[in-house]
Amino acid sequence: MDMNKLFDDNTRAAFENIRENNRESRKWCAFFAVFGLICMTAFGIVKNSEKTADFLGGRETVEKFFRANIIALAIVTVTLAVFVLAFLKSWKGMKSSIYQLLMTVGSAVLILYSAFSFIMSIVNIREDLDGAKSVTAEEFVLCKGSAGEWFIGFDHGGESILLQIPHEEYEELCHAAPSEEYADSQVYDLIVNSQYGGYENAVFYRSKADIKYYANSVIFEDCQLKEIN
């Protein structure tokens, strides 16, 4: 037996196996990247709608969020259909490579996660479109944002809410008398400790205010001072 020839054949086979593995890896990484890019684009559409939103725009802004999420869900739904077709055409069962298995599972998880996220957003926004929530805050915090926006902080249903409001409403609410009894106020603590990020001139008021807003989208509808303590 020619040992040199046997060695050359084994070496050639080993290198060919490495090249095949590299080709498989690149092919299925590209497969995952395509679906990942599409999902990122869908999320980008929603993110852009939030970035350019008028948080004082009331129902019109909520409808803008709704449309963006519907478009994103439609993109992901079509993507899911394409993924299923690609899977049925390319899957070879036990003969499929480990790269195909990993990237196929990864793509499926990413697409399904994206679809679930948009569906939940649509459900929440649809609830907002059924009507704004009304709450009478027993106490509230007024503050100013780093870009000159005006905010009211209050508790609703056990959650601390920070809502952007028009300057006119801010001025009206300022007619209440400030209070120094803010030690037990969670929303005041969150604002002054910058956990909301970049807010200043926080003033605590132990007065009643009627607030109407779209709770899931955190969009202003109306607010007015109800009682001055």
Side-chain angles (χ1 to χ4, degrees), residues 54 57-65 67 129 214 219 221:
D54 176 10
R59 184 183 177 87
E60 183 177 342
T61 301
V62 178
E63 290 174 344
K64 179 180 178 181
F65 290 166
R67 288 192 297 271
L129 291 175
Y214 297 94
I219 300 296
E221 178 67 18

Side-chain angles (χ1 to χ4, degrees), residues 56 150 165-175 223:
L56 304 177
W150 306 95
I165 60 175
H167 186 252
E168 294 78 9
E169 275 70 12
Y170 175 88
E171 291 290 338
E172 178 189 346
L173 294 169
C174 282
H175 289 136
C223 73

Side-chain angles (χ1 to χ4, degrees), residues 52-88:
T52 59
D54 176 10
F55 288 92
L56 304 177
R59 184 183 177 87
E60 183 177 342
T61 301
V62 178
E63 290 174 344
K64 179 180 178 181
F65 290 166
F66 187 75
R67 288 192 297 271
N69 278 275
I70 287 290
I71 292 171
L73 180 59
I75 291 173
V76 172
T77 300
V78 172
T79 302
L80 179 59
V82 172
F83 169 81
V84 171
L85 291 175
F87 171 79
L88 294 175

Side-chain angles (χ1 to χ4, degrees), residues 37-47 68 71-73 75-76 118:
L37 182 61
I38 295 173
C39 290
M40 287 177 60
T41 300
F43 276 107
I45 291 172
V46 173
K47 190 68 176 179
I71 292 171
L73 180 59
I75 291 173
V76 172
F118 297 133

